[in-house]
Amino acid sequence: MSQVDDLGLPPGLRDEYLQGARDQLGGIAELAERLIDVGDDAAAIEELRREAHKLRGSAGSFGFAQASVVAAELEDAAKQWLTQPADGVAARGAAARGFVRRLAAALFTKQASAPVVPPAPDAPPTAHDPSPGDTPEVIVVEDDAALADLLTFGLEARGYRFIHYRNGRDALTALRALDTRGAQPLLLLDVDLPALDGYSIFEALQKDCPGKFRVVFTTVHGSEAEQLRGLEAGAIDYMVKPMSLRVALEKIRRWVGR
């Protein structure tokens, strides 16, 4: 007789469901971004409703009861948006983002399910799961508040452990001291940063702790010469801004390995 867990599920089935839910929530996150741009996108809202309905029906069966509750709230909200006039729709994208963050908390993390409030420019670094001893899978060093919010929102929706820094000098100090416990986190490193630029950070890390991070440069400078400069320095890849959230998350999935 095969073993089952405390929910009566065969070994590995819950983890398999969670991986599928991660992909599903990533798709919901992309729909939320569409509503950020166009709040009355009826096709996006209908797809959002369908995806929320599917998650509502499945999550509880695999032990994620709170995720089912939040998905039901999102489904109801989408139904209302489909019947409401187009006036006053600017907040729909933000509301959808809030639902995604609550779903991510219910499915993947130990954090509270309250919405994440973007930090002030001089606030300390933020982390997706601040539990002691956790090693981040992804580190974002980005001073553009809008882009940082987009990237960290996508990472949160996919259930990654991450840290975000907004200042080059502060990031270097923290990265030198970070105990990666033998892991090799992905470092998304902006080239143009206040206090200390990305190339200088990379050179310092290569000198002080070579191989500690897998580095991908991000920048608006997408010329061939600029990209070659980053790759020849030792980065594993280069992402040019502006970037698609869907493409960025797919690349991160490949770089991180999940």
Side-chain angles (χ1 to χ4, degrees), residues 8-55:
L9 301 173
L13 190 58
R14 193 169 187 262
D15 290 340
E16 183 178 332
Y17 170 77
L18 202 56
Q19 182 57 52
R22 178 175 285 111
D23 294 339
Q24 187 176 7
L25 191 55
I28 293 174
E30 291 162 11
L31 293 170
E33 292 309 299
R34 282 174 59 180
L35 294 183
I36 290 284
D37 295 333
V38 184
D40 61 347
D41 187 333
I45 295 171
E46 173 57 24
E47 191 173 351
L48 192 68
R49 183 200 64 77
R50 290 198 302 267
E51 291 302 314
H53 179 78
K54 288 190 285 188
L55 193 58

Side-chain angles (χ1 to χ4, degrees), residues 44 72 109-110 127 145 150 152 161 200 214 249:
T109 75
K110 304 166 191 173
L150 179 67
T152 55
R161 300 185 305 277
S200 297
R214 290 170 296 140
L249 289 175

Side-chain angles (χ1 to χ4, degrees), residues 185-220:
L186 176 68
L187 175 58
L188 301 179
L189 184 57
D190 185 19
V191 170
D192 300 304
L193 288 165
L196 194 65
D197 68 272
Y199 288 125
S200 297
I201 293 173
F202 184 71
E203 290 171 6
L205 291 174
Q206 289 290 81
K207 178 182 177 181
D208 298 340
C209 43
K212 186 176 181 180
F213 305 100
R214 290 170 296 140
V215 177
V216 172
F217 284 114
T218 64
T219 182
V220 296

Side-chain angles (χ1 to χ4, degrees), residues 104-127:
L107 287 166
F108 311 128
T109 75
K110 304 166 191 173
Q111 69 182 18
S113 59
V116 175
V117 178
D122 57 349
T126 54

